[in-house]
């Protein structure tokens, strides 16, 4: 048997007045997801554990069956793994966005839809000016980059920039976690034993990060790339914004967790998802033209997923575009990304695997809602569907947030999704 999870990041939404009170999944033209829901079985899933921020790193890790209380180390270490950066025991890895500030506020979390090529220029420039033996800026994808600081503490409070559009940035600067202001945590080696060295305190780390933010603004403001952007009336990438810090995580592979998974791959344009896949023991497949935006290579990703599924047991196929449209508050674009996923991902995969001799189990779901009128992630249940040839369908006729309430799986939580997906059998 083979399993594929098709994940539309941030695809779920709220009812929108402009759509006659429908959600985007209800309003979008999605005949293929509706068909799988009609032929399969549905439910809802709570992807965010109590006490955790509703980030994609949390939700996708939970969907894959992991206990976040045991493995969570933040976003930075996952993105480090995805780009092949081997964290040392003393390293703190942080996601480092290039963002746009204006009029004292965060205007956009993505630096004006920065390309990877231009992001690389700016990150290398910052590393040449601010990098030291202790501090290193490393290129990722588009606006999503990596900041690694030796002996820094993860016990700081950082505001994910996509959660704070149009808010004053100075009030969101890094702070120490309460109780960690003066604590110098021991550094643990790869063997789990103290190395004899200690980390900076939470307050010292916060002060260093805020100093880097301020210095980056001075440097980026004068960079020729940003001067040209401003001349054209476009949004410049004029500040770094570090967040999601942590140390190297200790995760079992999916093969250790689930006997049904002997081999597998992850397909995504997003470093974070690739990093989760790396620690989960999955091969990372990079598809030419995969951007993480609405212009991504949908056909190439579907083809890569089918090719991998012919050789392996498990594929995690991640599409980022709906989440980006949600953060931008772009209703029309988010509708299009949902329809693209339906017709350019779900349709070809369904039509191909239903002809195979070996049974293929398909799951479709978002990781969390990113409502266009909120423009940030929210911790609410998401709809999911399971399909395989021969499954006994439930009463759900369409795939959306409302219809799936009546699904036979009811409301699942966290690792119950992956456990259920691995255990369904042909009738």
């Amino acid at each position: 048997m083979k399993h594929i999870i098709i994940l539309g990041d941030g695809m779920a939404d709220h009812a929108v007045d402009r759509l006659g009170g429908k959600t985007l999944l209800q309003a979008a033209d999605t005949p293929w997801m509706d068909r799988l829901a009609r032929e399969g079985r549905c439910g809802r899933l709570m992807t965010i554990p109590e006490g955790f921020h509703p980030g994609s790193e949390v939700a996708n890790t939970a969907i894959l069956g992991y206990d976040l209380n045991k493995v969570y180390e933040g976003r930075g270490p996952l993105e480090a793994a995805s780009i092949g950066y081997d964290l040392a025991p003393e390293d703190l890895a942080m996601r480092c966005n290039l963002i746009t500030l204006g009029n004292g506020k965060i205007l956009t979390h993505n630096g004006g839809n920065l390309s990877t090529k231009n992001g690389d220029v700016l990150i290398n420039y910052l590393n040449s000016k601010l990098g030291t033996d202790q501090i290193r800026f490393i290129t990722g994808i588009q606006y999503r980059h990596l900041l690694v600081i030796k002996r820094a503490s993860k016990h700081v409070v950082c505001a994910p920039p996509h959660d704070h559009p149009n808010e004053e940035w100075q009030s969101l600067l890094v702070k120490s976690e309460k109780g960690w202001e003066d604590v110098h945590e021991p550094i643990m080696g790869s063997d789990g034993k103290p190395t004899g060295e200690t980390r900076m305190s939470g307050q010292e780390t916060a002060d260093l990060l805020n100093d880097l933010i301020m210095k980056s603004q001075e440097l980026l403001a004068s960079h020729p790339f940003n001067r040209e952007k401003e001349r054209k009336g476009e949004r410049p990438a004029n500040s770094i914004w570090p967040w999601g810090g942590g140390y190297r995580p200790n995760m079992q592979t999916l093969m250790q967790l689930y006997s049904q998974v002997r081999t597998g791959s992850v397909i995504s344009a997003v470093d974070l998802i690739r990093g989760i896949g790396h620690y989960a023991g999955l091969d990372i497949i990079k598809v030419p033209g995969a951007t993480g935006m609405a212009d991504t290579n949908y056909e190439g990703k579907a083809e890569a997923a089918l090719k991998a599924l012919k050789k392996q047991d498990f594929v995690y196929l991640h599409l980022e575009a709906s989440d980006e449209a949600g953060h931008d508050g772009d209703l029309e674009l988010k509708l299009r990304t949902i329809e693209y996923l339906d017709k350019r991902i779900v349709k070809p995969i369904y039509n191909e695997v239903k002809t195979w001799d070996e049974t293929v189990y398909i799951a479709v779901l978002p990781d969390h809602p990113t409502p266009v009128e909120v423009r940030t992630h929210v911790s609410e249940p998401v709809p999911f569907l399971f399909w395989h040839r021969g499954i006994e369908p439930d009463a759900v006729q369409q795939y959306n947030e409302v219809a799936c309430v009546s699904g036979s799986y009811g409301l699942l939580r966290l690792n119950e999704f992956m456990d259920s997906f691995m255990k369904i059998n042909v009738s």
Side-chain angles (χ1 to χ4, degrees):
M1 65 182 69
K2 296 176 181 288
H3 295 79
I4 179 169
I5 295 176
I6 301 173
L7 190 131
D9 201 301
M11 187 166 59
D13 214 294
H14 292 163
V16 177
D17 289 342
R18 288 174 286 169
L19 298 174
K22 295 180 178 180
T23 71
L24 279 78
L25 279 170
Q26 287 179 300
D29 181 26
T30 56
W32 296 95
M33 286 189 282
D34 290 344
R35 180 169 184 170
L36 266 67
R38 188 167 58 251
E39 296 180 358
R41 301 174 73 86
C42 299
R44 295 188 303 155
L45 173 65
M46 193 67 198
T47 62
I48 308 298
E50 184 177 353
F52 281 80
H53 179 82
S56 291
E57 75 281 13
V58 172
N60 283 273
T61 303
I63 287 169
L64 283 169
Y66 289 95
D67 183 342
L68 273 295
N69 290 294
K70 295 179 179 179
V71 305
Y72 183 69
E73 277 290 344
R75 199 154 182 152
L78 299 174
E79 304 206 14
S82 77
I83 59 177
Y85 189 90
D86 189 20
L87 292 176
E90 67 269 22
D91 288 340
L92 171 73
M94 305 191 76
R95 165 75 167 270
C96 184
N97 279 40
L98 288 169
I99 69 171
T100 302
L101 303 179
N103 299 319
K105 297 181 178 181
I106 296 177
L107 297 183
T108 175
H109 68 287
N110 59 23
N113 289 322
L114 199 64
S115 71
T116 299
K117 179 180 178 181
N118 290 326
D120 180 58
V121 170
L122 297 180
I123 285 294
N124 285 329
Y125 172 66
L126 290 172
N127 195 58
S128 71
K129 298 294 185 180
L130 301 177
T132 65
D133 290 342
Q134 183 188 15
I135 300 166
R136 186 175 178 190
F137 293 86
I138 301 156
T139 300
I141 295 176
Q142 297 169 332
Y143 63 89
R144 314 175 189 96
H145 304 282
L146 186 68
L147 173 61
V148 177
I149 306 177
K150 293 185 180 300
R151 299 180 300 281
S153 173
K154 70 177 180 180
H155 297 288
V156 290
V157 180
C158 303
H162 55 266
D163 285 346
H164 300 276
N166 296 318
E167 294 185 27
E168 294 185 357
W169 65 268
Q170 287 189 324
S171 64
L172 299 171
L173 287 169
V174 184
K175 303 173 181 64
S176 173
E177 286 185 8
K178 290 184 179 180
W180 288 88
E181 293 88 348
D182 301 314
V183 176
H184 293 269
E185 182 183 11
I187 295 174
M188 310 301 289
S190 55
D191 58 0
K193 298 179 180 179
T195 64
E197 296 184 300
T198 59
R199 296 185 180 274
M200 302 162 60
S201 68
Q203 190 59 56
E204 289 169 337
T205 302
D207 290 342
L208 173 59
L209 290 169
N210 289 330
D211 184 58
L212 290 173
I213 290 172
M214 302 305 292
K215 287 179 177 176
S216 78
Q217 293 175 19
E218 296 177 9
L219 291 166
L220 291 171
S222 61
H223 193 279
F225 171 78
N226 282 323
R227 285 184 172 177
E228 179 64 14
K229 292 271 282 187
E230 290 185 318
R231 187 188 69 79
K232 294 178 179 179
E234 299 174 353
R235 288 176 169 176
N238 57 12
S239 181
I240 64 165
W241 201 265
W243 59 285
Y247 315 143
R248 181 184 176 93
N250 181 21
M251 288 173 59
Q252 289 182 294
T253 66
L254 280 183
M255 298 75 183
Q256 292 171 313
L257 291 177
Y258 298 101
S259 61
Q260 297 89 338
V261 181
R262 293 167 297 179
T263 57
S265 294
V266 59
I267 300 171
S268 176
V270 179
D271 281 345
L272 153 69
I273 305 300
R274 294 174 181 173
I276 295 172
H278 170 82
Y279 284 115
L282 302 176
D283 294 337
I284 297 173
I285 297 175
K286 297 182 179 181
V287 176
T291 64
M293 310 296 280
D295 64 352
T296 197
N297 183 3
Y298 291 91
E299 288 75 16
K301 294 183 102 174
E303 182 180 352
L306 288 167
K307 184 177 179 180
L309 204 57
K310 288 178 180 178
K311 299 178 180 179
Q312 298 181 314
D313 303 312
F314 179 82
V315 173
Y316 196 72
L317 176 56
H318 173 269
L319 288 301
E320 175 74 3
S322 294
D323 186 62
E324 291 292 334
H327 285 306
D328 285 341
D330 193 329
L331 176 71
E332 290 74 18
L333 180 60
K334 186 170 180 182
L335 283 170
R336 286 202 303 274
T337 64
I338 292 170
E339 292 174 351
Y340 288 160
L341 184 145
D342 183 74
K343 296 173 180 64
R344 300 166 69 181
I345 294 290
V346 176
K347 176 184 177 181
I349 290 175
Y350 167 80
N351 281 335
E352 173 69 18
V353 304
K354 72 178 182 179
T355 68
W356 292 3
D357 292 334
E358 186 169 7
T359 299
V360 177
Y361 298 80
I362 297 176
V364 178
L365 76 164
D367 52 349
H368 50 68
T370 308
V372 292
E373 294 186 335
V374 179
R375 295 184 60 187
T376 189
H377 303 170
V378 295
S379 181
E380 297 171 0
V382 298
F384 71 85
L385 68 83
F386 290 152
W387 176 93
H388 62 78
R389 191 175 57 242
I391 191 172
E392 182 178 350
D394 58 21
V396 175
Q397 298 296 298
Q398 295 178 314
Y399 175 70
N400 59 60
E401 301 88 345
V402 177
C404 288
V405 171
S406 302
S408 57
Y409 278 97
L411 178 64
L412 301 184
R413 297 181 182 278
L414 307 172
N415 64 301
E416 291 176 347
F417 169 84
M418 190 69 167
D419 290 348
S420 298
F421 188 43
M422 289 292 119
K423 291 176 182 175
I424 55 177
N425 295 307
V426 176
S427 301

